[in-house]
Amino acid sequence: MTSIPSETATVRTAVLVLLAGVLVRLGLAALLDPGVDEAYAMAVATHWQLSWFDHPPMAFWWVKAMHDLAAPMFGEPVSTFVLRLPFVLAFTVTSAVMFDLSRRLWGARAGLWTLVALTLAPFFLVSAGSWMVPDGPLLLFLSLTARVVAEILFFSPAPARAGERWLWLVAGVSLGLAALSKYHAALFALSCFAFLLVTPHRARLASPSPWLGVVIAGLVASPVLIWNAEHEWVSFLFQSSRGIGSKGINWSGFGRAMLGQAAYLGPWTLFGAVIAMLSLLRTDRTIAGPGAFLVALALPSIVLFTAVPLWGGEALPHWQMPGWLFLMPLLGLAIADSEASGRNAYRSFAIAGTAVLALAIGLVAAFRVVPPSSDAVRRFGIASFLEESVTWRGLAAGLAERGLLAARSPTDTQQRRPLVVAFRWIDAARIAEALGSRATVAVFGNDPRGFAFHADPADWLGRDVLLIGRPKTFGRGLEAARSLFSRIDLLTPIAVKIGGFTLFEAQVAIGRKLAAPYPLPYPRR
């Protein structure tokens, strides 16, 4: 039998793992360019509002708050690294909460291995761990809610206890904050309610405390409801439509959903978690225990969002990740049990995960310090990937050299800045990231996302407008917008580069005397 370290030694090791994860995430936050979703968040989070078109407001509030705190100290533009700091902190807390949840349920070794599994999963290490996206706040508040509810269900034997009433209120606040982060919180709430309803824990529903917690959650989440009510429920309609298809089973989408989850978690984590869950369900003789509770929280989002392509929709792999978060403690428990019995099979997953991540991080660091040559880009076929994933370097300088953009960030109001129009929201996000507060960016197209609520092009009627886009879609967008201007003058393209390699040439034109804004596909107010 293997000698198991004491709880004190295990907690000390967990702290070291937590710190190592923080350092890696900080390093990646400094090295990586903003992703498209991050660039979009930076573009639309320029003023305070109750909610946003795509998601509830929490992530956008964090970006806006961090910008307002940092700008007076560091000036404009605020670096991506600084804007990412709240998200790094959030997942650090999430990791600590998941360690504590596993430790409380099954001991410190299970908590340690849960923490290791979270740290080695690429999605949790990088995207949820440091990027300016809604997943970080969502996982933080879902983990806190699960921790509090687990305390109530498994360590609070008397439903009438005053302490339990306070715990339900805390759970309500945390669930409301999760609902302010991402709409996944509703599925978590339904999963939790279903677990209570079908197990002996239903007795707790006879107390007013959990219902008061639900009311508290609704009040905390009310900004989302108010904003949507003011905008004809456009965010709910947009999100609910994304999983609806009409062309039969989307087998390629289903394959991408499966492979995407394996890539986001790492095969060592995905298969380990599935094996751990099946093993626990086979050996556990109750559906009311903590393992079943975590499975009840995990499976609905994993199964539902993986199955979306089966009725014709398109599922993105990160939609399932909140479910996988709650399988990590089961993996931690399985590794701890394996360790206690002297078997080391699960450790190989950790070793493989660490090696692959170390290699990937080394490649990222080398890529950032020494950009790839044009031959390397062509040889590995990564031009399209780079075009989508890196900052549009050279755009701002090219526009400023032509006198089309102020050399530095102006102090004028939004309406006095140049209006730059893109024809796709992804291009608009990258343009806004590159130009910062020197221009106002809008989208003329059928899918403007949050840019439709970011600025009103009617404020620029009669003025000239810059039109910018990538070659593949620029011509089509230009034709659709031509009737909105007295004329359109094409200008010389501007090279967008990485190192010495030109990724593409951004197309540039000036639309003279804007006569009417592009008709939006959804209401502004």
Side-chain angles (χ1 to χ4, degrees), residues 226-243:
I226 294 170
W227 187 90
N228 272 277
E230 291 176 343
H231 296 84
E232 300 182 20
W233 309 102
V234 64
S235 184
F236 293 162
L237 292 172
F238 167 71
Q239 290 293 359
S240 62
S241 69
R242 298 181 76 185

Side-chain angles (χ1 to χ4, degrees), residues 152-468:
I152 294 169
L153 299 184
F154 306 114
F155 302 100
S156 180
R161 282 177 51 190
E164 180 181 327
R165 289 194 290 271
W166 282 108
L167 287 176
W168 280 117
L169 297 183
V170 171
V173 171
S174 183
L175 180 61
L177 293 172
L180 284 176
S181 303
K182 205 169 182 180
Y183 294 124
H184 278 68
L187 187 57
F188 174 94
L190 290 173
S191 303
C192 191
F193 176 70
F195 175 79
L196 290 170
L197 203 59
V198 303
T199 65
H201 296 294
R202 72 178 69 90
R204 296 181 186 272
L205 297 176
S207 163
S209 299
W211 303 107
L212 184 56
V214 171
V215 172
I216 294 294
L219 290 173
V220 173
S222 61
V224 178
L225 300 174
I226 294 170
W227 187 90
N228 272 277
E230 291 176 343
H231 296 84
E232 300 182 20
W233 309 102
V234 64
S235 184
F236 293 162
L237 292 172
F238 167 71
Q239 290 293 359
S240 62
S241 69
R242 298 181 76 185
I244 298 174
S246 58
K247 297 182 180 179
I249 297 176
N250 182 359
W251 287 114
S252 63
F254 182 72
R256 286 193 296 273
M258 298 292 288
L259 293 174
Q261 290 176 80
Y264 278 23
L265 293 168
W268 52 87
T269 304
L270 185 146
F271 290 117
V274 170
I275 293 168
M277 178 187 69
L278 295 175
S279 175
L280 181 138
L281 292 176
R282 186 177 64 251
T283 58
D284 205 346
R285 300 191 179 277
T286 175
I287 64 167
F293 171 64
L294 293 176
V295 170
L297 297 182
L299 283 187
S301 62
I302 295 174
V303 173
L304 174 64
F305 293 123
T306 301
V308 163
L310 298 181
W311 54 77
E314 184 69 50
L316 299 176
H318 68 275
W319 292 356
Q320 296 93 330
M321 292 301 111
W324 288 104
L325 175 74
F326 294 111
L327 291 187
M328 294 301 102
L330 304 188
L331 178 57
L333 172 62
I335 299 174
D337 288 345
S338 174
E339 184 182 47
S341 63
R343 301 191 304 272
N344 294 318
Y346 280 102
R347 287 190 179 185
S348 61
F349 285 104
I351 294 170
T354 303
V356 171
L357 277 177
L359 176 62
I361 291 169
L363 290 174
V364 168
F367 173 86
R368 191 69 175 87
V369 175
V370 183
S373 66
S374 56
D375 288 341
V377 172
R378 294 189 187 96
R379 185 181 306 119
F380 294 107
I382 58 174
S384 295
F385 167 76
L386 293 174
E387 186 177 324
E388 293 287 343
S389 58
V390 302
T391 298
W392 288 17
R393 293 178 178 84
L395 179 64
L399 293 174
E401 286 171 5
R402 302 178 187 186
L404 300 173
L405 187 71
R408 291 182 294 178
S409 299
T411 57
D412 291 339
T413 62
Q414 180 173 262
Q415 288 77 12
R416 291 176 60 84
R417 300 169 191 160
L419 178 66
V420 176
V421 165
F423 302 115
R424 298 172 67 236
W425 73 267
I426 291 176
D427 290 358
R430 286 299 185 195
I431 292 167
E433 176 204 349
L435 305 187
S437 59
R438 287 187 275 180
T440 299
V441 179
V443 175
F444 284 2
N446 337 340
D447 185 17
R449 303 289 171 101
F451 287 98
F453 308 89
H454 173 57
D456 188 352
D459 293 333
W460 282 264
L461 292 179
R463 291 172 54 185
D464 293 346
V465 172
L466 270 174
L467 307 168
I468 302 176

Side-chain angles (χ1 to χ4, degrees), residues 83-152:
L83 294 176
R84 283 171 168 165
L85 289 178
F87 297 85
V88 174
L89 175 62
F91 196 77
T92 303
V93 177
T94 301
S95 300
V97 171
M98 294 304 293
F99 165 78
D100 187 61
L101 173 63
S102 302
R103 179 202 61 79
R104 182 74 164 128
L105 295 176
W106 296 302
R109 295 304 292 181
L112 172 63
W113 286 111
T114 298
L115 183 58
V116 170
L118 275 175
T119 304
L120 293 180
F123 175 83
F124 296 121
L125 179 69
V126 183
S127 180
S130 63
W131 287 359
M132 293 173 276
V133 292
D135 302 276
L138 173 74
L139 297 184
L140 169 62
F141 297 119
L142 288 187
S143 65
L144 286 168
T145 307
R147 175 65 184 89
V148 175
V149 174
E151 187 69 28
I152 294 169

